[in-house]
C-alpha cells in the first residue's frame, strides 16, 4: 500500500508526540495526533502528548479495550507483562514507584548496562517485575501506533512514511536499539531516524517558510539548545551559500548530557522538603516522589506565567507516625527563580568548564547524570570544542527547544550569558518564539518526511573526509612479512547524509565465519578520490586510521570459514552513520559494517567489536 501520510514521532524522555501531514498535498499541513490514554480507572481522555511512563499491572480493568486489537503486537509481546502507559502511569509513579518505569530513553544510551535485559524500574526490589529499556520504548511507540491505527484504519502506520527522532548525541548502539524498539512496535521497516535538534530547525523553517533567509545570512551560526525533561542536546549549524542560495550545514553536535527539567523538579522538591521540615513535617519515600511531581507543576506554572507569584505545594498524609492529613506550603516565584537560575543557568565565562563533583571513586551503576548542572558551562565547553581552530562565532542565532524554555526568564538568562562572552560579532538573536516547544520536534520530523517526497531546504552534513577500506593485496607470501594493504575508496569527500551509492570495481573476497579485522581509513587531503579508487601504497601522511572493526561475520553452518566474493554499497544515514554493505555475488546474502562518521571526524575512534 502506498504511503498517504508523512509522520514524525518524537520519542521523548518524559513525553512522546506524533505529528503528521498528508503526503500528497502540495503544501504541508502538519497536525498533532490526539492520543487516547487512561487518566484514572474507568476514565479515558485525549491529549497531544503521551507521558513516557509505564506502569506494570495485571489489573485487566486498566487496559484499554481497543489496545489488543489496534496494536500491531499485543502488550505482553512488547514488554513481557501487561502494562499501562501515559497519564495514568505517570500519576502512579508516586504511589507505585516499584512498578513504574521512567526515563527509558536515557537508559537506551547507557553503555554500562545490558539494555535488552529486564532492568527497569532500576531501584525496584529484585522480586518485582521488570522490563528492558528497549521493550519499554517499544511500548510507548506501540501505543502511538495503536492510536494512529484507531483513527486512521485505512492508512495503517506500518504503510506510512515515518521519521523517528533521536538525540544528536546518541551513538551507533543507542540508535540501533531505538530502531529495534521501533520495529518491535510495528513501525515500517524503512522508517528514517533524524536528530532532534535538526527536527526543531525544520519546524522553524516550516513556520517561516522562504522567509528563513531574512533571519539568517551567509556566515551566521545557529546554535540549537534543546533542553527536555531528562537531557540537554546541543547542535551548531553554519549558514553557507551554494550557487546563490543559502544552505545549512551541521558543524558539530554535543555530548549526551543527562541534565534537564527533571533535575530542576528534583531541585525544587529538595527545597520544598526543607520548607516542610521547618514546619515539623517529615516526608517518607512515597511522599517525596509525590512532592517531585507537585514541584514539576509548580515550575511549569511559575516560570511560564509572570503574573503568578506563588503556587501551592500539597502532599497527602500517609501512616500514623507521619503527617496525618493533607499539608501544604506556598512556593513563590522568587524562590523558584533563585533556586533554578543560579543552579542551572549560572553566569559564567566562555572559558569555564563543567565542574567534577565526585564524592567517591565508587559509583552506583545507575544513569550517568551530569555532576555539574550548570547548563551554561556545558554550552561554553561545547562551543570551545567546536571552535578550537581559532574561528570566531561570527553572528550567532539561537533556537530554543524543549519544555524548559517555556520560562521566559530562563531564555533571557541564557541569551545574556552568551552575549557576555564577547565571542560573537553581535548579541545572539533568537529564532522563532516559545510556542509549541513541546511539539516542535515531532512537527519538524513530519515536515522532513514530507520534504523527502517533495523536496525543500535540507540541513547538509556531508563528510569532511574521504573514507577507505584496507584490502589485503594478493601475491606470493614472504616469511615474516604480512601482505601489504591497499586502500579502496568507498566514501568520497562531501558525500551527503541520507545518500548511498555502489562502489564500482571487481569483486573482493570477504572473510566470514571467523574473527577478522576490518581496517578503515580516512583522508582530508585526497578530496578528488571517487568510490572505486585504489591506492596501492598507503601514505600515512595522507591516510589515517579511522576505525578497526574486530568481529566475526556470520558464515555457512557447514563450514567454519570461507571467503565470499562481494561487491560494496556505501550509505551515509541521516544520522551520520557510515554503513558499508557487502553483497555476495553468488547469492542474496549480505553483511553490514558500520561506524559513526561524525565521531571519527571530531575525535580519534577506538577499535570496536
Amino acid at each position: 500500500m502506498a504511503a498517504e501520510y508523512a509522520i514524525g514521532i518524537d520519542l521523548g524522555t518524559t513525553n512522546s508526540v506524533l505529528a503528521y501531514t498528508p503526503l500528497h498535498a502540495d503544501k504541508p499541513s502538519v497536525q498533532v495526533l490526539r492520543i487516547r490514554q487512561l487518566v484514572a480507572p474507568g476514565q479515558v481522555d485525549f491529549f497531544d502528548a503521551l507521558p513516557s511512563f509505564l506502569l506494570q499491572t495485571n489489573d485487566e480493568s486498566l487496559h484499554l479495550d481497543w489496545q489488543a486489537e489496534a496494536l500491531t503486537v499485543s502488550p505482553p509481546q512488547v514488554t513481557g507483562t501487561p502494562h499501562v502507559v501515559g497519564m495514568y502511569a505517570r500519576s502512579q509513579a508516586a504511589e507505585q514507584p516499584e512498578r513504574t518505569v521512567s526515563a527509558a530513553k536515557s537508559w537506551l544510551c547507557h553503555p554500562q548496562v545490558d539494555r535488552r535485559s529486564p532492568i527497569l524500574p532500576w531501584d525496584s526490589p529484585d522480586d518485582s517485575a521488570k522490563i528492558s529499556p528497549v521493550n519499554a520504548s517499544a511500548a510507548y511507540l506501540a501505543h502511538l501506533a495503536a492510536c494512529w491505527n484507531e483513527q486512521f484504519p485505512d492508512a495503517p502506520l506500518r504503510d506510512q512514511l515515518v521519521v523517528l527522532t533521536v538525540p544528536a548525541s546518541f551513538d551507533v548502539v543507542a540508535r540501533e536499539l531505538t530502531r529495534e524498539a521501533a520495529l518491535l512496535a510495528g513501525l515500517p521497516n524503512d522508517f528514517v531516524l533524524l536528530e532532534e535538534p535538526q527536527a526543531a530547525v525544520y519546524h522553524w523553517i516550516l513556520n517561516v517558510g522562504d522567509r528563513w533567509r531574512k533571519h539568517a545570512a551567509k556566515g551566521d551560526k545557529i546554535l540549537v539548545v534543546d533542553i527536555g525533561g531528562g537531557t540537554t542536546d546541543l547542535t551548531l549549524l553554519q549558514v553557507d551559500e551554494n550557487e546563490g542560495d543559502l544552505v545549512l550545514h551541521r558543524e558539530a553536535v554535543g555530548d549526551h548530557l543527562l541534565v534537564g527539567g527533571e533535575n530542576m523538579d528534583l531541585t525544587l522538591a529538595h527545597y520544598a522538603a526543607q520548607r516542610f521540615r521547618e514546619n515539623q513535617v517529615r516526608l517518607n519515600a512515597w511522599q517525596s516522589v509525590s512532592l517531585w511531581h507537585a514541584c514539576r507543576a509548580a515550575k511549569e506554572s511559575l516560570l511560564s506565567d509572570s503574573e503568578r507569584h506563588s503556587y501551592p505545594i500539597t502532599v497527602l498524609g500517609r501512616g500514623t507516625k507521619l503527617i496525618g492529613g493533607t499539608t501544604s506550603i506556598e512556593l513563590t516565584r522568587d524562590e523558584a527563580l533563585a533556586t533554578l537560575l543560579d543552579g542551572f543557568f549560572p553566569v559564567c565565562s566562555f572559558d569555564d568548564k563543567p565542574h567534577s563533583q565526585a564524592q567517591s571513586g565508587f559509583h552506583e551503576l545507575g544513569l550517568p547524570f551530569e555532576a555539574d548542572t550548570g547548563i551554561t558551562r556545558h554550552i561554553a565547553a561545547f562551543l570551545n570544542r567546536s571552535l578550537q581552530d581559532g574561528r570566531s562565532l561570527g553572528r550567532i542565532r539561537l533556537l530554543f527547544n524543549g519544555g524548559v524554555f517555556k520560562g521566559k526568564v530562563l531564555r533571557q538568562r541564557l541569551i545574556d550569558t552568551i552575549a557576555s562572552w564577547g565571542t560573537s560579532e553581535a548579541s545572539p538573536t533568537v529564532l522563532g518564539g516559545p510556542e509549541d516547544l513541546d511539539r516542535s520536534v515531532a512537527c519538524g520530523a513530519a515536515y522532513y518526511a514530507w520534504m523527502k517526497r517533495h523536496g525543500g531546504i535540507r540541513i547538509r552534513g556531508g563528510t569532511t573526509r574521504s573514507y577507505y577500506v584496507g584490502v589485503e593485496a594478493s601475491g606470493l607470501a614472504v616469511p615474516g612479512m604480512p601482505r601489504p594493504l591497499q586502500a579502496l575508496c568507498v566514501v568520497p569527500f562531501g558525500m551527503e547524509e541520507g545518500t548511498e551509492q555502489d562502489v564500482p570495481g571487481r569483486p573482493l573476497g570477504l572473510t566470514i565465519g571467523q574473527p577478522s579485522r576490518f581496517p578503515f581509513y580516512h583522508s582530508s587531503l585526497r578530496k578528488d578520490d571517487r568510490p572505486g579508487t585504489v591506492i596501492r601504497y598507503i601514505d600515512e601522511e595522507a591516510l589515517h586510521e579511522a576505525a578497526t572493526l574486530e568481529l566475526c561475520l556470520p558464515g555457512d553452518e557447514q563450514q567454519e570459514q570461507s571467503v565470499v566474493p562481494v561487491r560494496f554499497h556505501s550509505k551515509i544515514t541521516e544520522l551520520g552513520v557510515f554503513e558499508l554493505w557487502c553483497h555476495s555475488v553468488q547469492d542474496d546474502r549480505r553483511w553490514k559494517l558500520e561506524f559513526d562518521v561524525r565521531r571519527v571526524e571530531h575525535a580519534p575512534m577506538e577499535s570496536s567489536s
Side-chain angles (χ1 to χ4, degrees):
M1 181 184 296
E4 299 180 39
Y5 292 91
I7 295 176
I9 299 177
D10 174 13
L11 177 62
T13 306
T14 53
N15 289 285
S16 297
V17 181
L18 186 152
Y20 64 96
T21 182
L23 190 56
H24 301 294
D26 293 335
K27 292 184 178 180
S29 177
V30 178
Q31 302 178 62
V32 174
L33 184 74
R34 299 282 286 172
I35 303 169
R36 184 146 74 107
Q37 50 197 294
L38 193 72
V39 294
Q43 182 180 348
V44 174
D45 206 344
F46 289 84
F47 299 90
D48 287 348
L50 176 76
S52 302
F53 289 76
L54 182 147
L55 173 67
Q56 298 187 96
T57 174
N58 290 313
D59 187 349
E60 295 183 359
S61 66
L62 297 178
H63 302 151
L64 300 183
D65 56 3
W66 55 273
Q67 255 191 335
E69 182 177 348
L71 284 171
T72 305
V73 287
S74 65
Q77 288 175 294
V78 174
T79 65
T81 60
H83 66 270
V84 174
V85 300
M87 287 289 184
Y88 183 70
R90 185 178 71 179
S91 70
Q92 291 300 299
E95 294 293 325
Q96 304 183 65
E98 74 282 357
R99 292 176 175 268
T100 307
V101 174
S102 62
K105 178 179 175 181
S106 295
W107 286 97
L108 280 180
C109 63
H110 189 6
Q112 296 179 354
V113 298
D114 184 352
R115 289 156 278 186
R116 291 188 180 92
S117 295
I119 60 174
L120 302 179
W122 179 254
D123 288 324
S124 61
D126 292 338
D127 58 352
S128 63
K130 297 187 180 184
I131 64 173
S132 72
V134 171
N135 286 344
S137 301
Y140 307 140
L141 293 171
H143 188 94
L144 295 178
C147 292
W148 174 270
N149 292 339
E150 181 192 35
Q151 298 179 43
F152 296 88
D154 297 328
L157 186 74
R158 63 177 180 273
D159 296 327
Q160 308 313 306
L161 181 54
V162 178
V163 172
L164 176 64
T165 64
V166 294
S169 51
F170 260 24
D171 61 17
V172 173
V173 176
R175 295 166 188 169
E176 196 61 35
L177 291 171
T178 303
R179 180 179 296 278
E180 184 178 316
L183 295 178
L184 180 62
L187 270 65
N189 291 332
D190 59 351
F191 82 91
V192 174
L193 289 172
L194 177 69
E195 291 178 358
E196 291 164 4
Q198 290 195 31
V201 173
Y202 285 125
H203 180 249
W204 170 68
I205 294 174
L206 170 66
N207 284 340
V208 300
D210 290 336
R211 293 183 292 114
W212 78 270
R213 292 172 174 81
K214 297 180 181 180
H215 299 272
K218 180 182 178 182
D220 290 356
K221 287 183 170 59
I222 299 176
L223 174 63
V224 185
V225 183
D226 183 354
I227 306 179
T231 60
T232 293
D233 221 0
L234 306 172
T235 292
L236 188 65
L237 305 176
Q238 169 84 28
V239 181
D240 290 324
E241 185 175 313
N242 182 20
E243 298 180 355
D245 293 328
L246 293 179
V247 295
L248 295 174
H249 285 274
R250 179 200 33 73
E251 281 204 338
V253 297
D255 297 329
H256 192 68
L257 303 175
L258 286 183
V259 57
E262 291 182 354
N263 300 72
M264 299 180 187
D265 303 337
L266 184 60
T267 300
L268 284 180
H270 278 293
Y271 177 81
Q274 182 179 348
R275 289 275 308 278
F276 277 114
R277 285 195 297 270
E278 292 172 356
N279 294 338
Q280 306 304 310
V281 175
R282 182 164 54 94
L283 306 180
N284 65 16
W286 281 270
Q287 290 167 321
S288 296
V289 175
S290 178
L291 179 64
W292 188 355
H293 291 294
C295 287
R296 177 195 303 120
K299 177 199 69 179
E300 294 173 353
S301 177
L302 292 172
L303 296 188
S304 61
D305 184 1
S306 60
E307 299 299 320
R308 182 152 195 170
H309 300 294
S310 65
Y311 191 96
I313 303 294
T314 302
V315 176
L316 298 178
R318 293 176 62 96
T320 58
K321 295 184 178 180
L322 301 165
I323 54 179
T326 299
T327 185
S328 298
I329 62 169
E330 285 288 328
L331 182 67
T332 68
R333 188 170 188 269
D334 289 342
E335 288 174 316
L337 291 179
T339 302
L340 298 180
L341 272 179
D342 291 338
F344 293 89
F345 294 89
V347 175
C348 66
S349 72
F350 186 64
D351 295 324
D352 279 352
K353 294 179 175 59
H355 302 153
S356 175
Q357 300 174 351
Q359 302 297 311
S360 172
F362 299 106
H363 305 276
E364 285 188 330
L365 291 179
L367 286 173
F369 295 106
E370 296 300 322
D372 188 349
T373 59
I375 294 174
T376 45
R377 284 190 286 268
H378 288 286
I379 294 174
F382 165 69
L383 292 177
N384 261 295
R385 291 195 302 270
S386 304
L387 304 174
Q388 56 184 322
D389 59 359
R391 293 174 295 169
S392 168
L393 271 178
R395 294 182 302 274
I396 190 167
R397 305 288 188 252
L398 272 173
L399 182 62
F400 295 120
N401 192 57
V404 165
F405 285 120
K406 290 180 180 179
K408 179 181 178 181
V409 65
L410 301 184
R411 300 196 303 271
Q412 192 59 50
R413 169 60 71 90
L414 183 55
I415 294 170
D416 294 342
T417 301
I418 294 179
S420 71
W421 292 341
T423 56
S424 178
E425 297 175 8
S427 296
T429 301
V430 177
L431 302 177
E435 303 84 6
D436 297 326
L437 288 169
D438 291 326
R439 297 184 285 272
S440 59
V441 167
C443 292
Y447 177 49
Y448 177 81
W450 182 88
M451 286 195 300
K452 287 182 72 68
R453 178 69 58 87
H454 294 272
I457 180 68
R458 297 279 295 274
I459 299 172
R460 303 297 180 183
T463 59
T464 59
R465 305 175 186 183
S466 305
Y467 287 86
Y468 308 78
V469 294
V471 179
E472 185 174 312
S474 62
L476 298 175
V478 176
M481 292 184 61
R483 289 193 176 93
L485 285 181
Q486 301 175 350
L488 171 68
C489 180
V490 289
V491 172
F493 177 87
M495 183 172 174
E496 292 289 349
E497 293 170 356
T499 63
E500 53 190 287
Q501 62 185 98
D502 291 325
V503 178
R506 295 178 300 175
L508 295 170
L510 175 70
T511 301
I512 61 176
Q514 71 171 10
S516 302
R517 300 177 72 254
F518 299 93
F520 287 81
Y521 300 89
H522 63 75
S523 175
S524 58
L525 301 177
R526 301 182 61 97
K527 298 182 179 181
D528 296 327
D529 287 346
R530 311 310 304 164
T533 299
V534 177
I535 302 176
R536 300 295 179 184
Y537 302 99
I538 296 180
D539 181 357
E540 293 184 355
E541 293 186 1
L543 263 65
H544 303 277
E545 185 173 344
T548 296
L549 306 182
E550 300 182 2
L551 50 116
C552 179
L553 298 177
D556 299 322
E557 295 181 358
Q558 293 79 12
Q559 55 188 115
E560 294 184 356
Q561 60 174 297
S562 61
V563 175
V564 179
V566 297
R567 293 187 182 277
F568 293 148
H569 181 82
S570 296
K571 178 179 180 180
I572 304 291
T573 72
E574 278 84 354
L575 296 176
V577 175
F578 167 42
E579 298 179 354
L580 181 66
W581 288 91
C582 308
H583 293 264
S584 170
V585 300
Q586 299 174 332
D587 47 43
D588 59 357
R589 289 180 299 169
R590 60 177 188 167
W591 299 263
K592 180 177 71 170
L593 304 173
E594 64 179 8
F595 61 84
D596 192 341
V597 167
R598 295 178 187 172
R599 297 186 183 275
V600 171
E601 298 191 350
H602 289 88
M605 185 169 182
E606 298 178 358
S607 301
S608 61
S609 59

